[in-house]
Amino acid sequence: MSVSILVGSQWGDEGKGKIVDILSDRFDVVARYQGGANAGHTIQIGDKQYILHLIPSGILRDNVKCVIGNGVVIDPKALLEEIEFLRKNNIDIEGRLFISHNAHLIMPYHKLLDSINESGKQKIGTTGRGIGPCYYDKYARKGIKIVDLLNRDDLEAKIRQNIEEKNNLLKKVYNHDELDVEAIIKEYTAFDEAIDPYITDVSSLLNNAISDNKKVLMEGAQGALLDVDHGTYPYVTSSNPTSGGACIGTGVPPTAISNVIGIVKAYTTRVGLGPFPTELTDETGEYLQKQGAEFGSTTGRPRRCGWFDAYLVKYSTTINGIKEAAITKLDVLSGLKEIKVCVAYEINGQKLKHFPTDVCKLDNVTPVYETLAGWDQDISKVEEYNNLPSETKDYLDFISKKCGFKNSIVSVGPRRKETIEL
Ligand code: GDP
Ligand code: IMO
Ligand code: MG
């Protein structure tokens, strides 16, 4: 068995793109299993930066096949822009990109409803990419799938029916202009022509690859604490970034999975609203934001920053089954005299026994910190684990022990070569 799942262990933006790019050198296939263009996965090669939203981060490796699974929600505009971006950068995707016929399509009304929801009282701080409303239609069994593009008459009828319903909602509830049915049909039929060569039965492709002893890497988007079931609901995304989502989102069975790799940022960040017990709103928080260039890869929004939360990541390790971890952005901590790590939560002086995903509870916890010594040296040029300062190694050991995984990769900069393998 040779299927590994790579998951974000915190609230997203842990550096999944960089690590998938590094690892994909050793894999035959990389598959995205959930989320959509809300994701922004960055790969930096030399000074050239690539930000991918829908296409798996293995695409920069010529011999790797890249698959968009049934669990992903696809925005045609975002996908076509990404394909164009790759072509302009001379990255050949022909015969290497495969899109599930069962993936759902983001429709213009999904983006519109996302922005309408965000202007109301129940704001989440979404990326505005139409993710929630698209998954809503999927589970309400009203969604439009890639496979629907293949049958023009049915497609038109489905789009008309959906838009009629949405127009009713837009007009009567939100007092908003109605959507133009003809323009939307035209846009989506043109999209069909552009992506027709890539449409595939992804479950068969992946299961055949597994039978042929090919190595498959599943690339999660977002992070465990943004999981709709296991995260800090309602301040989550509308899919399952946790490792369990990889099977649902691709049609690969759980028995085929051999490893789960957690991507673990050496501190914590979060974009959007929701509880964040170790958040720092002081100059240390600003330092992390500045040193780590913590601005969203998709929306450009500043990311909230805070200390590493080992209590939270331990929860993530448990629900994902993380065996090994890539610790990222360790270089960002250089220059801090002391580094704090949250090891438990308390409410009214009582230590909690389990990580609380209930936001009311999480809003009221007091983090219990242990303080470790910092280091001054610039570690971004260090190539071997043994050459890291002793304080840095102590920090890594502490994280690994508290969270319950083995550290297998340490990332000390955004570029490919700024990576230490253990
Ligand atoms: P993803 O969504 O998990 O793929 O992460 P993002 O790409 O949204 O955000 C991670 C950011 O950190 C990107 O700008 C990366 O180029 C950068 N990055 C990744 N690893 C490191 C690292 O070890 N050190 C530093 N300084 N930057 C890193
Ligand atoms: P990657 O894959 C960080 C957050 C949004 C918001 C919440 C819901 O790059 O790690 P949505 O648009 O999904 O309905 O927004 O989830 N969010 C992310 N935060 N990284 C991401 O992806 C995210 N994708 C969504 O900020 O709080
Ligand atoms: Mg990101």
Side-chain angles (χ1 to χ4, degrees):
M1 283 183 302
S2 49
V3 182
S4 296
I5 303 174
L6 179 142
V7 286
S9 70
Q10 294 144 313
W11 275 296
D13 301 328
E14 296 90 352
K16 298 175 291 293
K18 170 180 167 166
I19 304 300
V20 171
D21 171 63
I22 302 271
L23 293 176
S24 54
D25 201 18
R26 297 149 224 184
F27 284 84
D28 301 293
V29 186
V30 179
R32 270 278 304 270
Y33 58 86
Q34 45 67 238
N38 48 349
H41 294 181
T42 315
I43 302 165
Q44 199 170 320
I45 300 172
D47 287 330
K48 174 84 190 157
Q49 197 184 55
Y50 301 83
I51 300 179
L52 298 164
H53 303 283
L54 280 163
I55 295 178
S57 305
I59 202 73
L60 303 185
R61 307 277 185 181
D62 291 345
N63 300 322
V64 174
K65 286 187 175 160
C66 286
V67 171
I68 299 180
N70 55 277
V72 175
V73 287
I74 299 176
D75 176 359
K77 226 169 146 211
L79 182 62
L80 293 179
E81 273 172 22
E82 207 159 310
I83 290 174
E84 191 48 33
F85 165 77
L86 292 171
R87 282 205 182 115
K88 275 200 179 128
N89 283 283
N90 298 319
I91 293 151
D92 189 13
I93 60 162
E94 302 314 320
R96 296 180 54 219
L97 178 65
F98 302 88
I99 301 171
S100 169
H101 62 309
N102 276 329
H104 279 246
L105 286 164
I106 300 232
M107 304 298 291
Y109 44 81
H110 292 140
K111 288 195 240 179
L112 186 57
L113 289 169
D114 196 357
S115 86
I116 289 174
N117 289 338
E118 284 293 294
S119 62
K121 281 189 184 139
Q122 287 182 320
K123 198 170 147 61
I124 304 290
T126 72
T127 59
R129 298 299 187 265
I131 305 297
C134 184
Y135 280 113
Y136 175 99
D137 274 356
K138 171 175 174 173
Y139 288 100
R141 293 156 296 175
K142 291 177 181 175
I144 297 178
K145 305 209 285 185
I146 292 277
V147 70
D148 294 324
L149 294 172
L150 303 176
N151 183 335
R152 286 288 158 83
D153 293 339
D154 279 2
L155 175 68
E156 274 204 39
K158 270 195 167 177
I159 292 182
R160 272 183 209 288
Q161 196 185 331
N162 270 315
I163 294 183
E164 202 178 302
E165 194 183 290
K166 302 297 184 219
N167 273 342
N168 243 329
L169 180 75
L170 289 170
K171 205 164 107 190
K172 293 187 183 147
V173 179
Y174 299 116
N175 198 20
H176 195 282
D177 290 347
E178 293 188 7
L179 294 160
D180 180 347
V181 187
E182 301 305 330
I184 294 175
I185 291 174
K186 210 168 144 201
E187 184 188 341
Y188 280 72
T189 44
F191 173 62
D192 171 39
E193 275 153 34
I195 63 147
D196 199 49
Y198 310 113
I199 303 175
T200 313
D201 179 334
V202 155
S203 173
S204 297
L205 182 150
L206 291 171
N207 283 301
N208 287 339
I210 294 164
S211 300
D212 291 344
N213 289 322
K214 301 282 187 217
K215 294 186 81 186
V216 177
L217 180 65
M218 308 277 207
E219 174 179 357
Q222 289 83 51
L225 275 297
L226 287 172
D227 187 288
V228 69
D229 286 283
H230 303 288
T232 50
Y233 189 91
Y235 300 102
V236 292
T237 191
S238 299
S239 67
N240 293 111
T242 45
S243 55
C247 294
I248 306 287
T250 56
V252 166
T255 44
I257 311 299
S258 53
N259 193 17
V260 180
I261 305 160
I263 311 302
V264 179
K265 197 182 270 192
Y267 49 96
T268 315
T269 62
R270 170 163 211 171
V271 205
L273 305 177
F276 181 172
T278 63
E279 183 169 15
L280 292 165
T281 49
D282 58 5
E283 66 273 16
T284 310
E286 273 171 35
Y287 183 83
L288 293 174
Q289 193 189 62
K290 193 157 170 253
Q291 297 298 113
E294 293 295 355
F295 292 90
S297 312
T298 296
T299 58
R301 290 178 294 174
R303 296 175 182 149
R304 299 154 65 192
C305 297
W307 293 122
F308 186 75
D309 190 340
Y311 195 60
L312 175 149
V313 176
K314 169 77 186 157
Y315 164 71
S316 189
T317 305
T318 307
I319 59 169
N320 284 300
I322 295 172
K323 293 184 181 175
E324 55 179 284
I327 312 295
T328 60
K329 306 198 83 160
L330 192 61
D331 53 302
V332 174
L333 297 177
S334 296
L336 293 171
K337 260 200 169 58
E338 288 182 332
I339 305 174
K340 288 188 179 179
V341 175
C342 168
V343 293
Y345 291 162
E346 278 181 1
I347 293 184
N348 298 329
Q350 296 279 316
K351 279 213 174 95
L352 300 194
K353 291 202 177 85
H354 310 284
F355 180 84
T357 50
D358 166 21
V359 290
C360 296
K361 218 170 182 183
L362 203 50
D363 260 335
N364 288 306
V365 300
T366 305
V368 178
Y369 288 109
E370 286 196 28
T371 304
L372 284 82
W375 58 90
D376 258 343
Q377 300 91 316
D378 171 12
I379 58 170
S380 62
K381 301 289 170 284
V382 175
E383 290 178 0
E384 282 186 35
Y385 178 79
N386 285 337
N387 295 337
L388 286 169
S390 62
E391 294 84 356
T392 317
K393 286 189 277 195
D394 289 346
Y395 186 70
L396 288 170
D397 282 350
F398 189 81
I399 287 182
S400 133
K401 280 203 189 84
K402 287 286 170 199
C403 301
F405 47 60
K406 171 177 127 254
N407 297 334
S408 61
I409 292 179
V410 175
S411 174
V412 291
R415 295 173 185 81
R416 271 184 183 166
K417 60 177 192 302
E418 291 162 334
T419 311
I420 302 168
E421 302 220 24
L422 276 68

